[in-house]
Amino acid sequence: MSDKRKKLAALMLNQMEIAAAAGVPYVAEARNIDVSQLPEVPNRIPGEGGISTVRSMGISEDGNEVLIPTVVDGRLAPTAAQAEEEAMRHYRRTGKHLGKYATRAASDAAATLLHEREALRTGR
């Protein structure tokens, strides 16, 4: 990722966090997970590989799009389906999420920015 793209991704994510704090409608609720504390785990899901900290998925709930992590308790299941099942169980049990958004497009944008920011943080 180029330096210009890195700076833009960090700036956009910071703006989204500021918007959440200010109550901007596209952000229904800010994340309740400190992503800087998430461990790096091997991603052995076929077709993906590498290292993951915030591999995520989106679900619809109460009119919002909720972004939830699929890295649960410091591990990532070996298949995408298992990772999603574990993520759903963990979310239902703990309520931990990476943000709640008014639209799927906002959730997708937040996920992209978060993943790029994590790539910067981890140097990957």
Side-chain angles (χ1 to χ4, degrees):
M1 181 184 317
S2 72
D3 286 339
K4 184 176 180 180
R5 188 171 173 205
K6 289 176 186 179
K7 288 178 184 176
L8 180 61
L11 176 65
M12 289 178 73
L13 189 56
N14 287 337
Q15 288 174 336
M16 289 182 76
E17 290 167 345
I18 291 167
V24 172
Y26 73 87
V27 179
E29 185 177 321
R31 69 176 176 250
N32 59 11
I33 295 173
D34 180 358
V35 295
S36 70
Q37 299 301 310
L38 297 176
E40 295 179 26
V41 298
N43 183 335
R44 295 187 178 93
I45 294 175
E48 293 185 16
I51 300 293
S52 292
T53 57
V54 292
R55 185 181 182 280
S56 63
M57 62 180 278
I59 61 168
S60 293
E61 179 183 76
D62 299 328
N64 291 313
E65 290 295 316
V66 183
L67 194 59
I68 60 176
T70 59
V71 175
V72 175
D73 295 329
R75 67 179 288 279
L76 180 62
T79 70
Q82 288 173 326
E84 290 174 5
E85 288 173 20
E86 287 184 20
M88 288 293 298
R89 279 194 300 273
H90 186 259
Y91 173 68
R92 299 281 184 235
R93 189 177 78 247
T94 68
K96 296 291 185 182
H97 60 82
L98 297 166
K100 295 183 180 183
Y101 302 89
T103 66
R104 182 168 184 169
S107 176
D108 290 347
T112 298
L113 292 170
L114 181 58
H115 291 277
E116 289 195 14
R117 184 164 141 182
E118 279 300 283
L120 283 172
R121 185 179 71 82
T122 62
R124 304 208 183 266

